[in-house]
Amino acid sequence: MIRSVKRSSALLFALMLTGCVVKQQTPAPVEPTQPTTPTQPEQPPTPPVPPPENVPQPPKLKTINWSASVQPLVANMVQSAGVNPGSVLLVDRIKNSTNGALQSDKATDAIQSALANNGKFTLVTSDQLAQAKQALGLSADDSLNSRSKAIGLARNVNAQYVLYSNAQGDVKSPTLQMQLMLVQTGEIIWSGNGIAQP
């Protein structure tokens, strides 16, 4: 036991000595450092971006001035000698015989507009035409390309005349042909041609 006390006292004495030695030390100097940006792993160079491809412009649709195209023909037809004032006229939808797509509805509307206040004809309305087509079992989109259909339809609406219109040739500059037909006899009493105006 004496040995353990001697060891403990020696240990205690050593501890006391270390606590008694107080030497004032100055702190180590701190050197300011500049912040650095973190380095990123090196990436392979990106290839240059090619300039955008020029997208071709869609072709411009050639528009036809239907009003200017049909007006001279209609004026000529109204002045023809064989037309009786006050007669009922059925305007057939224009037939497309060109080499492309044609705005047939716009062309037909232009013909009807040109004939609206002509002083000689009373036009069959679109409602009368639709009812007559239904009564005869024709589809609403039937363009009456058959003369017998048109005559039957004209008789159903009590029209004295039918106006046939046809666009033919190149779709960009078609030739217009119009024929005025007497319903009772099937006789063509007037015919006219003209080039469609851009």
Side-chain angles (χ1 to χ4, degrees):
M1 181 141 155
I2 296 181
R3 274 189 184 168
S4 62
V5 173
K6 281 184 180 180
R7 278 188 204 161
S8 301
S9 36
L11 188 59
L12 183 60
F13 180 71
L15 286 175
M16 286 164 73
L17 282 176
T18 56
C20 292
V21 179
V22 177
K23 187 175 179 188
Q24 204 169 13
Q25 295 181 348
T26 59
V30 177
E31 294 179 19
T33 59
Q34 295 294 328
T36 59
T37 57
T39 58
Q40 296 180 353
E42 201 171 306
Q43 295 179 353
T46 56
V49 178
E53 292 182 25
N54 289 336
V55 178
Q57 292 281 336
K60 291 186 178 180
L61 294 176
K62 178 109 177 174
T63 56
I64 295 173
N65 185 344
W66 289 112
S67 181
S69 301
V70 301
Q71 193 72 301
L73 292 170
V74 169
N76 189 331
M77 177 188 71
V78 170
Q79 298 303 320
S80 65
V83 178
N84 297 324
S87 299
V88 178
L89 173 66
L90 171 66
V91 176
D92 184 18
R93 183 173 181 221
I94 194 166
K95 180 181 176 186
N96 181 11
S97 300
T98 66
N99 59 357
L102 191 71
Q103 297 170 326
S104 302
D105 290 338
K106 286 187 177 184
T108 304
D109 290 345
I111 294 170
Q112 290 177 334
S113 294
L115 284 164
N117 297 312
N118 61 68
K120 281 205 174 179
F121 294 108
T122 302
L123 297 179
V124 174
T125 66
S126 56
D127 288 341
Q128 291 173 315
L129 189 59
Q131 289 174 358
K133 281 183 178 182
Q134 187 177 10
L136 293 174
L138 300 173
S139 89
D141 295 332
D142 197 320
S143 62
L144 310 180
N145 291 334
S146 155
R147 290 179 188 256
S148 60
K149 280 185 192 178
I151 288 175
L153 196 59
R155 287 183 178 151
N156 191 297
V157 294
N158 296 321
Q160 286 83 35
Y161 298 96
V162 173
L163 179 63
Y164 285 102
S165 303
N166 187 26
Q168 55 195 8
D170 185 14
V171 72
K172 294 178 183 175
S173 181
T175 301
L176 300 178
Q177 180 185 31
M178 291 185 179
Q179 293 178 335
L180 184 66
M181 188 172 84
L182 190 61
V183 172
Q184 186 176 7
T185 62
E187 176 188 2
I188 296 172
I189 58 171
W190 173 86
S191 181
N193 293 313
I195 303 292
Q197 304 296 317

